[in-house]
Amino acid sequence: MPTIRDVARLAGVAPCTVSNTLNGTGYVAKTTRERVLAAVRELGYQPSAIARGLKLGRTNMIALIIPTISTPMFSEMIEGIEEVAAATNYNLILCRSARDPKRELTYLNLFRDGRVDGIILAAPKVDDPCFAEVSATTLPVVVVGGESPGQDVPSVVVDNRKGASEAIRYLLQLGHQRVGFINGPLTVFDSRERFEAVKDALRKAGVPFDEHHLYVEGDFTRSSGYAAAREIMSGPLRPTALFVGGDTMAMGAMQALKDLGFRIPDDVAVVGFDDIKYAQYFEPPLTTVRQPAYQVGSRATKMLLSLIEGKPLRRKHLVMDVKLVIRGSSERRRQPGGARGTSRHEG
Amino acid sequence: MPTIRDVARLAGVAPCTVSNTLNGTGYVAKTTRERVLAAVRELGYQPSAIARGLKLGRTNMIALIIPTISTPMFSEMIEGIEEVAAATNYNLILCRSARDPKRELTYLNLFRDGRVDGIILAAPKVDDPCFAEVSATTLPVVVVGGESPGQDVPSVVVDNRKGASEAIRYLLQLGHQRVGFINGPLTVFDSRERFEAVKDALRKAGVPFDEHHLYVEGDFTRSSGYAAAREIMSGPLRPTALFVGGDTMAMGAMQALKDLGFRIPDDVAVVGFDDIKYAQYFEPPLTTVRQPAYQVGSRATKMLLSLIEGKPLRRKHLVMDVKLVIRGSSERRRQPGGARGTSRHEG
DNA sequence: GTCGTATAGAAAAACGTTTTTGCAAAACCG
DNA sequence: CGGTTTTGCAAAAACGTTTTTCTATACGAC
């Protein structure tokens, strides 16, 4: 690899002149500039990002610490993050935490070594030790899908309370009196918010919530949704509707319902959360609370970039809107014919 | 951020002694070591990855240039790559190419600046200008899902020919005489191989292949699969089976078949390619050629790391095995009850 | 006692940039 | 024409490490 010195030698100038030419800083005469640029082309010179980073104190890289990559919701979020980063000339370093606070902490510490300009921490656990670490460090960090009451870390979350209570109100309005709730683990911020909102909504409607027989926690996987639905449906308070805090779990739950001989939505209505790309192609198509994963990612990245640039944030905590999308898993409707929407994504 | 000099000052030694202590190089007395380590702890010192990278000439980072992130197959591949990288103390830089050779080229050039130690280039087009660029550069690169006859770039691909011919033979064996083929774009390596294999398999069986009425190219999206199926099914040679080169497209194709009033598999059998996580939950579950996306990623990464370490590759071109997985979309079988397999993944 | 030889640590060069400072020459202004 | 400002470029310091080279002490062996 040629260095700036090689270019300088070939062009018959000093290294700083090459730097000035390439960066448009300082004074450099037109003829000199052309000589330098010719030398650059001839040698195929490219400034070392590392040396540059060392000198400038920034690397134009951001890190993303996220539980998993291949989950539809997180995939879309990553895409939102990547898009904004790339458009702003930043590169994205991807780290899988597997929801393990230890791994999160390892990465968080690792990245204090100047290799990134900022970090997006996705879906840390409630009371995750990361929060303490984050507010102790000077590196810009924004959290998505999590908040910590004590430390005031910038964050982007979705309106879990609205989504959950809307889902419950909708099911009650359809006439359901016994609603089962399959939630994610309460260590997850979203799950905790949805849990509160579901209880609230039911209480306000005067419907009792039996935490023993109508509530099960899964771990967001399809199989956990399957098991949870089996458990609830074979309990003494067999519900006529199921609210599931995650579409993949809802997929498993629907499978369980079918295997148990229940018809959806006739015997049991199902409402999910997320609106992953596949939800509309479930059989029947899944009614679910849409959360804008892509936008969560892109907004968080914009916040982080502001932080990096030293600009003040207009709002330190963003709550993204959600929306109940009604499809066939909750009520019988006219069979939609033809293509139902298209997808930007390939597969 | 404290530097090595601060630590040295506090410990009363020279910077090099701190370096030697931390890296286990050179001689350093036990008492000195302890003083240094104490100083490191007290200051919360962490060596700058950038300065280190500059001096050592490596960064422990690899870049991945990949068409999309949120596609199930690519997501899994990314996970395989990340896993191996993380286990070997490498970080992964993620770049979305959108299958645009220009963007690929931009990244490829960008990364010659020393910020990464190697590159994985996923799914470049056939005759992608990248190949020339790659073989011109000295940076280790391995290509997945692509090969270039001219340049001898290390690669990992799946056995598209075997998969496609097996799928076709299977459908013929079921008694189908007119088989439609919905392929990806021929600019994609995999599609091209599958195209050849399908033609071969049909020719060998003495079944004519009507490229006009039984062959359509989509772009891997669900909607393109939908449109392609509609086109083929409304042509003059209405087939009784459809082989679709991509599960997401197959999903769209199945939707089209249903909308047109065909029963699957009774009227039309469908076989896909990929075996994405959701394929087994399609309605009916999709018969498809399983390709080991995760392993493709992990093997490619291992190859790249070998290259980076300067170790010779045992095999420069890997062809990963594929396997036809028979489910309900191709033939009626006993209805499987209970949980059908579990998933490692959440979501 | 002098000579190797481990041991322990310091000094300084190097990695490839950017940036400050410095110094001419040219241009401008009265 | 003298002085100021602008223009054009070079020298050198700096970023924070690692590594080579060097010095110094202690320890045996001869």
Side-chain angles (χ1 to χ4, degrees), chain B:
Chain B
M1 281 287 100
T3 77
I4 200 172
R5 242 169 275 273
D6 299 322
V7 176
R9 195 155 29 224
L10 182 60
V13 297
C16 56
T17 302
V18 177
S19 177
N20 282 331
T21 304
L22 259 29
N23 298 321
T25 55
Y27 293 111
V28 34
K30 184 174 266 179
T31 62
T32 315
R33 182 202 323 284
E34 278 161 7
R35 258 201 346 268
V36 169
L37 291 179
V40 165
R41 263 193 305 278
E42 183 174 340
L43 295 178
Y45 168 73
Q46 186 154 16
S48 152
I50 306 301
R52 215 148 191 284
L54 177 59
K55 185 62 191 177
L56 296 179
R58 64 183 159 74
T59 58
N60 274 36
M61 301 232 188
I62 62 178
L64 170 64
I65 304 175
I66 197 165
T68 83
I69 297 158
S70 71
T71 288
M73 222 202 31
F74 286 132
S75 292
E76 283 190 51
M77 192 186 290
I78 297 176
E79 208 145 78
I81 293 170
E82 200 276 342
E83 199 102 344
V84 173
T88 331
N89 242 341
Y90 275 78
N91 284 119
L92 181 65
I93 297 182
L94 195 64
C95 307
R96 207 176 47 92
S97 70
R99 284 197 201 280
D100 179 357
K102 267 219 196 83
R103 299 184 66 159
E104 291 173 351
L105 228 45
T106 304
Y107 280 126
L108 233 36
N109 275 315
L110 180 64
F111 291 140
R112 297 191 324 156
D113 70 2
R115 82 179 67 190
V116 300
D117 298 340
I119 300 179
I120 295 179
L121 176 60
K125 290 188 177 174
V126 181
D127 298 328
D128 198 302
C130 281
F131 283 109
E133 187 63 32
V134 163
S135 45
T137 184
T138 154
L139 199 63
V141 176
V142 4
V143 168
V144 303
E147 264 178 4
S148 182
Q151 294 92 355
D152 193 32
V153 184
S155 64
V156 180
V157 299
V158 298
D159 199 338
N160 288 299
R161 291 171 193 277
K162 173 183 168 189
S165 58
E166 217 163 87
I168 294 296
R169 281 204 309 271
Y170 164 69
L171 286 171
L172 295 177
Q173 188 186 319
L174 285 179
H176 295 283
Q177 286 297 317
R178 275 200 308 279
V179 178
F181 179 22
I182 299 177
N183 198 9
L186 281 189
T187 50
V188 172
F189 176 82
D190 292 330
S191 305
R192 192 163 293 207
E193 284 206 328
R194 291 168 199 170
F195 185 63
E196 297 303 328
V198 165
K199 280 197 299 190
D200 267 23
L202 288 173
R203 186 159 29 77
K204 274 180 191 152
V207 177
F209 178 51
D210 187 321
E211 285 196 34
H212 260 71
H213 302 111
L214 290 177
Y215 178 70
V216 178
E217 282 168 28
D219 61 359
F220 293 117
T221 62
R222 198 204 60 86
S223 58
S224 76
Y226 187 94
R230 267 195 111 92
E231 183 179 340
I232 288 188
M233 296 312 290
S234 52
L237 295 177
R238 176 178 298 176
T240 61
L242 237 38
F243 175 45
V244 188
D247 285 355
T248 307
M249 276 200 301
M251 195 170 175
M254 283 170 70
Q255 189 64 51
L257 293 175
K258 289 180 198 170
D259 287 353
L260 290 170
F262 294 106
R263 288 164 306 163
I264 308 170
D266 311 72
D267 300 326
V268 182
V270 178
V271 174
F273 207 115
D274 290 349
D275 197 20
I276 65 176
K277 272 189 294 178
Y278 292 98
Q280 54 185 309
Y281 306 112
F282 286 6
E283 191 86 22
L286 182 65
T287 294
T288 186
V289 179
R290 171 178 300 164
Q291 76 169 286
Y294 183 94
Q295 278 79 11
V296 167
S298 56
R299 290 302 293 271
T301 311
K302 282 176 188 166
M303 279 176 70
L304 183 65
L305 293 176
S306 291
L307 246 37
I308 291 173
E309 313 274 320
K311 288 182 208 153
L313 291 181
R314 294 181 44 191
R315 313 204 50 212
K316 222 174 164 185
H317 302 282
L318 248 47
V319 180
M320 306 292 285
D321 199 20
V322 301
K323 189 185 157 203
L324 180 68
V325 180
I326 296 173
R327 301 201 183 95
S329 70
S330 55
E331 53 180 310
R332 282 238 164 268
R333 319 167 67 208
R334 58 161 178 71
Q335 189 73 6
R340 323 186 195 169
T342 58
S343 162
R344 291 186 304 103
H345 305 279
E346 59 180 282

Side-chain angles (χ1 to χ4, degrees), chain A residues 12-14 16-17 27-29 32 51 54-55:
Chain A
V13 298
C16 55
T17 302
Y27 294 111
V28 34
T32 315
L54 177 59
K55 185 62 192 179

